[in-house]
Amino acid sequence: MSPFIVDSLNTHAVISARGAAPRGLSSAPMNDLPSRSDWQALLSGTTLSPAELLALNAIARLRELPAGATVFARAQPASELLAVLSGSVGLGLARVGQAAHLERSIRGPAWLDLGSAWLGEGHAQDAWSLSPVRILALPLPALRELMAVQPAMSERLLAGLARTVRSLVLMAHDLMHKDAEKRLAAWLLQGASSGCGEGPALLQLGQRKRDIAAQLAITPETLSRMMRQLKLKGLIEVQGYTVRLLDAGALRALAAD
Amino acid sequence: MSPFIVDSLNTHAVISARGAAPRGLSSAPMNDLPSRSDWQALLSGTTLSPAELLALNAIARLRELPAGATVFARAQPASELLAVLSGSVGLGLARVGQAAHLERSIRGPAWLDLGSAWLGEGHAQDAWSLSPVRILALPLPALRELMAVQPAMSERLLAGLARTVRSLVLMAHDLMHKDAEKRLAAWLLQGASSGCGEGPALLQLGQRKRDIAAQLAITPETLSRMMRQLKLKGLIEVQGYTVRLLDAGALRALAAD
DNA sequence: CGCGTGGTTGACACGGATCAATCGTGGTGG
DNA sequence: CCACCACGATTGATCCGTGTCAACCACGCG
């Protein structure tokens, strides 16, 4: 529940919560509108025109939520497209008494639920903030009007949904055909590439290990054991919440089907 | 490889291949164009206007393939939206020497790959026909023009992609949190509901049990054992490729999270 | 009639979950 | 300031689900 993450391997270094850390190196203006780079990250493809930006900012609604808040609930009617601008949100199945079943975590800026609004059926899963978050909502009626005027917007949304489909297909594939070690290796490689493109292949975990385990569909105990395996094999170096990929090639080979 | 499916429990009844059977009770004109009901099944929402039908038929390309043919290959550039009109297509990972890794099977009429074309990255998985199939292809450039003229078409496509996302989220959820028995129960219920809405809850399997097992991410041996379990519990009655759901309520309870 | 294919069954092995204990850390209250 | 506690991670022991391997059966086809 708490956004603060604590380590415990040998050194037990403390890392700052994502919500408390500066959100990005580029531009994080404290005004009430999403920044241009936010929009660009969400709506891929060619550069957004000033007219598009203006129209988007006109219909966008922003919400700020503390850590642990419910962003939306399963089966709750969806009338807006939702994205997380900063912070991270967990998707999965929330359960009343017990710990939630985290299935995916989305770190902003990225789409949260780009699809449910187009079907009249409500959200497919629960969503809750893992840190303080800024949520962007695009009401469907206004977006429909915008799409009628700006046909290119439709294609941007289609591309966004297509990207979601792609990542889900990949996830399903991994769940069906890869064991825990393979999935962890693949996750480390993906995290290292998307996190930042430096050479030494350093990786800040950025969330509780139990949450990482949940997304890999393994228990925290197994995650701990698999990390030790990789460490013993000399593929990675672990210091609390910092992982250094020592042999990306071998990791890739291990993660391959 | 063969479209003919043979049973073997006690009676070993023979069921006809889907490709050989009449495709539907409604309308399956033998002309070269998709029927109105095909379009309506693919592009959900409100009824398609005659103008929309005309425009779609103008850009649609049809392909007929025998069973076991490659529909598309992973990483192959995708420049069209693909659907299967009749027959069924397997999605997954084809491997040269060995049996393919079937992950999903699509029975027409339904979209096959509605997303890859919008990203410039090629298909995410292999696709091959499990029976003789009729494939519908919508070239992207022509579709773009159509979307500019008919903005409603964009929304139909978005809804289609959203439905894909929903089913993939559901699949990932099941893979993460349900054991083999739960997944089989859920699959039986889903098959019985979508297959036909009659009361007795009869279910024709319609594909090889090993293919069913592959989609449930279990081995054929485990599928056989799970079927026997459910039979012993009195939840289902099995006769070859016909399954009768005796206690849908108990099945639902078993399949629940 | 032999052979190939697909399904079922049993014996066994293994991956990963579960349960329980321990450790290190940070926060809290006396 | 320090004892105490909550929480997360780690480790070990054990159990269970499911994959693997092998044998066998039933059917259709050449």
Side-chain angles (χ1 to χ4, degrees):
Chain A
M1 203 61 97
S2 155
F4 296 99
I5 299 176
V6 178
D7 161 34
S8 72
L9 201 100
N10 288 323
T11 55
H12 287 268
V14 178
I15 71 173
S16 66
R18 263 174 322 296
R23 205 185 46 72
L25 330 88
S26 50
S27 63
M30 282 307 291
N31 61 13
D32 279 326
L33 288 178
S35 74
R36 173 188 190 81
S37 64
D38 284 336
W39 286 118
Q40 200 71 58
L42 295 176
L43 300 165
S44 57
T46 56
T47 307
L48 285 158
S49 71
E52 285 178 302
L53 276 174
L54 217 57
L56 285 168
N57 280 330
I59 67 173
R61 299 284 173 269
L62 276 184
R63 263 171 250 158
E64 307 221 355
L65 294 173
T70 296
V71 179
F72 56 79
R74 194 164 56 127
Q76 167 187 324
S79 59
E80 337 170 282
L81 272 53
L82 290 169
V84 46
L85 293 180
S86 64
S88 66
V89 172
L91 287 171
L93 181 61
R95 296 171 305 169
V96 282
Q98 319 153 56
H101 269 168
L102 177 65
E103 291 172 4
R104 263 184 324 147
S105 78
I106 309 285
R107 191 166 57 234
W111 288 110
L112 204 51
D113 189 340
L114 192 45
S116 292
W118 303 105
L119 318 164
E121 308 175 17
H123 296 283
Q125 34 189 1
D126 297 299
W128 60 93
S129 53
L130 298 171
S131 71
V133 291
R134 290 197 311 144
I135 299 294
L136 166 70
L138 296 180
L140 197 51
L143 189 61
R144 279 205 177 96
E145 294 176 23
L146 200 160
M147 283 167 56
V149 181
Q150 306 243 14
M153 193 57 63
S154 305
E155 188 160 340
R156 295 184 192 277
L157 296 175
L158 282 164
L161 265 171
R163 214 177 317 281
T164 303
V165 167
R166 175 150 308 229
S167 83
L168 286 170
V169 164
L170 196 62
M171 169 182 280
H173 173 81
D174 287 1
L175 288 170
M176 295 178 90
H177 301 306
K178 291 184 180 174
D179 61 15
E181 194 178 40
K182 281 191 202 311
R183 291 206 297 275
L184 173 56
W187 187 89
L188 288 170
L189 287 166
Q190 183 191 342
S193 68
S194 71
C196 31
E198 79 285 25
L202 217 57
L203 179 58
Q204 294 291 333
L205 294 193
Q207 55 188 328
R208 296 183 303 174
K209 289 182 177 172
R210 65 175 47 186
D211 290 339
I212 297 172
Q215 293 169 73
L216 293 170
I218 59 182
T219 58
E221 293 94 326
T222 300
L223 174 61
S224 178
R225 284 184 256 267
M226 293 300 120
M227 292 277 266
R228 189 172 29 157
Q229 295 293 330
L230 295 182
K231 196 166 55 176
L232 289 177
K233 290 181 185 173
L235 302 187
I236 62 175
E237 204 177 74
V238 184
Q239 271 193 16
Y241 274 82
T242 303
V243 179
R244 182 188 300 274
L245 308 192
L246 297 175
D247 190 343
L251 274 176
R252 247 181 296 275
L254 200 157
D257 302 83
Chain B
M1 201 64 99
S2 155
F4 297 99
I5 300 175
V6 178
D7 161 34
S8 72
L9 202 99
N10 287 324
T11 54
H12 286 271
V14 177
I15 71 173
S16 66
R18 261 173 323 295
R23 201 183 49 72
L25 330 90
S26 49
S27 65
M30 281 307 292
N31 61 13
D32 279 325
L33 289 177
S35 74
R36 174 188 188 82
S37 65
D38 284 336
W39 286 119
Q40 199 70 59
L42 295 176
L43 301 164
S44 58
T46 55
T47 308
L48 286 157
S49 71
E52 284 179 303
L53 277 175
L54 217 58
L56 286 168
N57 280 330
I59 67 173
R61 298 285 174 268
L62 277 184
R63 263 171 247 157
E64 306 220 355
L65 294 173
T70 296
V71 180
F72 56 78
R74 193 165 57 127
Q76 166 187 322
S79 59
E80 337 170 281
L81 273 52
L82 290 168
V84 47
L85 294 181
S86 64
S88 65
V89 173
L91 287 171
L93 181 61
R95 298 171 304 169
V96 281
Q98 319 152 56
H101 270 169
L102 177 66
E103 293 173 3
R104 266 189 316 155
S105 78
I106 309 285
R107 191 165 58 233
W111 287 109
L112 203 51
D113 189 340
L114 192 46
S116 293
W118 303 107
L119 318 164
E121 308 176 16
H123 296 282
Q125 36 190 1
D126 298 299
W128 60 93
S129 52
L130 298 171
S131 71
V133 291
R134 290 197 310 145
I135 299 294
L136 166 71
L138 296 179
L140 197 52
L143 189 62
R144 278 204 176 97
E145 295 175 21
L146 200 160
M147 282 167 56
V149 181
Q150 306 245 13
M153 192 58 61
S154 305
E155 189 161 340
R156 296 184 189 276
L157 296 175
L158 282 164
L161 264 171
R163 214 177 316 281
T164 304
V165 167
R166 177 152 304 229
S167 81
L168 286 171
V169 164
L170 195 63
M171 169 182 281
H173 172 83
D174 287 2
L175 287 170
M176 295 178 92
H177 301 305
K178 291 183 180 175
D179 62 14
E181 194 178 42
K182 282 191 202 308
R183 291 206 298 275
L184 173 56
W187 187 89
L188 288 170
L189 286 166
Q190 184 190 343
S193 68
S194 70
C196 32
E198 79 284 26
L202 216 58
L203 179 59
Q204 293 292 331
L205 294 192
Q207 55 187 324
R208 296 183 304 175
K209 289 185 178 173
R210 64 177 48 187
D211 290 338
I212 297 172
Q215 294 169 71
L216 293 171
I218 59 181
T219 58
E221 293 94 325
T222 300
L223 174 61
S224 179
R225 284 185 256 267
M226 293 301 118
M227 291 277 266
R228 187 171 30 148
Q229 295 292 333
L230 295 183
K231 195 166 55 177
L232 289 177
K233 291 182 185 173
L235 301 187
I236 62 175
E237 204 176 72
V238 184
Q239 270 192 17
Y241 274 83
T242 303
V243 179
R244 181 188 301 275
L245 309 192
L246 296 176
D247 190 342
L251 274 176
R252 248 181 295 275
L254 201 157
D257 301 80

